[in-house]
């Protein structure tokens, strides 16, 4: 790097790539994230997709963003605001300006800021920088389109193919800005375009040209140096939540000695689970893309009856469609994992945006008394552990599990240290071979300690049986409409779940044991709530965090922990579903609440302000 270059040392930095859906911002962000992970930075990402498949080019509602937060220490969120913004057109700049820090660097493709482009983005003047009030930012007005077109003229590609390389020019420029090696980026491009030699060469040329352009403007903009973090030895992989869920399910099936079966129907943002698991036939994974949501879960229930770890994946609208079949798995007492990657609703709602609004549906959204285990993952990497827990609990209790993720976790990524599976607990399916009861076995005979019924795999000699959606007699397992028996079966199915409070981990407190405020959250808000707590600690405030991943049943020490603190605030991305659930479980519990229903993750600065006000009140 030139001696004239101003270098700013930072512990962490936020970069946002923004442009039209066809500008390749997701690929650019993904490669830059991988480069940062390679040199030892901790990372957290947030891909922000438009709901439209292909909105009109240059329009405000068609902007696709990718935000990455990287640093030398543990990173918990993708960051509130960006230190560096790449805006490929005026609409990207206008949409992203609210995410900018005052002293940030803004890179724009000046070739895409012509009069017609400004009109599409609804600018009223021909000076968007001045109109948006960007007075303290460093603006890099790079003629990216022109340089890419000139630089790739020798390859003889059509204009569309040439312009699709703009993102690699931008990646090269950002690599220079953060002193990232482009050699590793070239390797990633070789893997992506291995069968398209001309496209590969063009993208690599654009990447190098962008890096070299950075050297040429070194005197006019500051660059950044982020120290590498000290990480535990091991093999690391950049994973998003959906992929981590898949690996956790595979691990659970392997621990249990079972075949993993996924019956599913594509739905944003859960589709990638079906796609990823379909790639692992070599591990014995079976996947079926069914014709609809109901068929998807029905195939999974059939696979569970046949002795597989049956799984189905969906989002909120699909969970509603699966409700009757989940009830069938409840009354049949079969193992089943239902993954719900939550998105904004109601109905089709906002398919690419994130919320926590399916909690009540997961807990109660079925006819009759149909209790299920409900879990929630807290980070992209935690998706692995919670998927493993889902497999363990459903197989050992013979009860369906709903595992809640969300769009933020599903698409966001983090550096994941591949675990040693030997460190994970055994999974022991509740097979009929464990039956020690009466001489004549019946399909609804159960372990009196756990209340789990015994699992007889069809074809096991001497254990022919039939189960189904009609109520059965507790003792004889025959169809029964007796009111006393029905009440006993309903209470038993609930008690079976309640007993799991003795199996799941206790609720843990992070932060100050003598805190003036306890923050309570659940699911994918963990990183934002943790960072808010850390910010308040830096101000000298005594704050603690209790974060829930086990929702039904709640950890057995929940009431004791929550009533230990004078002030408690429950923060969630819905209109108070979890706080109302806690109130129904804990008498005389009246916490503060902080709700957000914007389709976006929490803004840490807003959390800090609200929590500070509660403490000072």
């Amino acid at each position: 790097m030139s001696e004239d270059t101003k270098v700013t040392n930072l512990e962490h930095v936020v970069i946002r790539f923004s442009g039209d859906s066809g500008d390749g911002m997701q690929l650019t962000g993904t490669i830059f994230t991988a480069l940062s992970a390679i040199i030892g930075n901790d990372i957290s990402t947030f891909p922000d997709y438009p709901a439209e498949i292909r909105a009109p080019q240059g329009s405000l509602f068609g902007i696709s963003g990718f935000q990455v937060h990287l640093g030398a220490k543990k990173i918990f969120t993708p960051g509130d605001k960006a230190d560096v913004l790449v805006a490929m057109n005026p609409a990207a700049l206008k949409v992203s300006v609210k995410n900018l820090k005052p002293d940030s660097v803004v890179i724009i493709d000046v070739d895409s800021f012509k009069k017609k482009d400004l009109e599409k983005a609804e600018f009223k003047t021909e000076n968007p920088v001045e109109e948006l009030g960007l007075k303290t930012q460093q603006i890099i007005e790079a003629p990216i389109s022109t340089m890419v077109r000139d630089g790739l003229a020798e390859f003889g590609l059509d204009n569309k193919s040439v312009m699709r390389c703009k993102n690699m020019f931008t990646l090269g420029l950002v690599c220079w800005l953060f002193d990232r090696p482009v050699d590793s980026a070239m390797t990633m491009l070789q893997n992506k375009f291995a069968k398209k030699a001309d496209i590969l060469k063009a993208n690599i040329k654009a990447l190098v040209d962008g890096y070299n352009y950075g050297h040429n403007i070194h005197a006019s903009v500051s660059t950044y140096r982020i120290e590498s973090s000290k990480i535990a030895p091991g093999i690391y992989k950049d994973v998003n939540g959906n992929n981590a869920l898949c690996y956790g399910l595979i691990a659970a099936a392997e621990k249990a000695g079972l075949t993993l079966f996924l019956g599913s129907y594509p739905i944003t943002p859960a589709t990638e689970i079906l796609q990823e698991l379909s790639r692992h036939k070599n591990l014995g994974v079976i996947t079926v893309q069914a014709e609809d949501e109901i068929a998807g879960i029905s195939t999974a229930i059939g696979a569970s009856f046949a002795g597989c770890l049956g799984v189905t994946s969906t989002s909120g609208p699909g969970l509603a469609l699966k409700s009757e079949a989940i009830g069938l798995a409840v009354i049949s007492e079969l193992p089943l994992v239902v993954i719900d990657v939550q998105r904004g609703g109601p109905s089709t709602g906002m398919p690419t945006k994130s919320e926590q609004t399916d909690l009540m549906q997961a807990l109660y959204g079925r006819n009759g008394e149909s209790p299920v285990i409900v879990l929630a993952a807290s980070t992209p990497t935690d998706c692995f552990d919670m998927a493993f827990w889902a497999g363990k609990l459903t197989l050992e209790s013979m009860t369906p599990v709903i595992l809640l993720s969300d769009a933020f976790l599903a698409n966001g990524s983090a550096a994941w240290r591949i675990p040693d599976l030997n460190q994970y607990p055994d999974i022991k399916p509740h097979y009929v071979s464990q039956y020690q009861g009466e001489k004549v076995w019946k399909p609804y005979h159960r372990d009196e300690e756990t209340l789990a019924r015994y699992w007889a795999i069809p074809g096991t000699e001497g254990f022919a049986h039939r189960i189904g959606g009609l109520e059965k007699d507790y003792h004889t397992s025959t169809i029964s409409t007796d009111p006393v028996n029905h009440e006993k079966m309903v209470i038993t199915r609930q008690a079976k779940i309640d007993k799991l409070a003795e199996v799941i981990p206790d609720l843990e407190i992070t932060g100050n044991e003598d805190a003036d405020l306890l923050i309570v959250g659940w699911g994918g808000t963990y990183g934002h709530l943790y960072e808010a707590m850390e910010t308040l600690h830096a101000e000298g405030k005594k704050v603690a965090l209790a974060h829930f991943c086990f929702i039904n049943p709640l950890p057995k020490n929940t009431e004791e922990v929550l009533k230990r603190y004078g002030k408690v605030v429950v923060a969630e991305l819905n209109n108070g579903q979890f706080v109302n659930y806690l109130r129904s479980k804990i008498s005389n519990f009246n916490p503060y609440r902080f709700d957000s229903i914007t389709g976006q993750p929490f803004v840490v600065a807003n959390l800090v302000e609200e929590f500070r006000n509660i403490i000072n009140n």
Side-chain angles (χ1 to χ4, degrees), residues 19 85 104 121 168 266 281 300 305 309 343 388 397 437 471 483 577 595 609:
L85 169 67
S104 55
M168 288 301 105
K281 296 181 179 65
F305 179 76
L309 172 53
R343 70 189 206 188
F388 186 91
S397 67
E471 186 64 281
Q577 294 186 23
D595 306 329
E609 181 181 7

Side-chain angles (χ1 to χ4, degrees), residues 143-219:
I144 295 175
S145 296
T146 298
M147 287 187 289
V148 170
R149 191 178 292 111
D150 293 344
L152 302 185
E154 63 186 275
F155 292 94
L157 299 174
D158 61 86
N159 186 64
K160 183 178 180 181
S161 298
V162 169
M163 288 297 96
R164 293 186 70 176
C165 297
K166 289 193 302 179
N167 62 329
M168 288 301 105
F169 183 98
T170 304
L171 176 61
L173 177 53
V174 176
C175 283
W176 170 82
L177 197 62
F178 288 93
D179 197 20
R180 294 291 184 266
V182 294
D183 291 349
S184 297
M186 292 180 188
T187 301
M188 295 176 198
L189 290 173
Q190 288 168 353
N191 292 333
K192 181 174 180 59
F193 299 112
K195 298 180 180 180
K196 300 178 181 179
D198 291 344
I199 300 298
L200 172 61
K201 292 177 182 177
N203 275 277
I204 289 178
K205 177 66 163 52
L207 176 72
V208 174
D209 286 350
Y211 190 88
N212 291 336
Y213 178 76
H215 279 289
N216 294 335
I217 63 167
H218 61 76

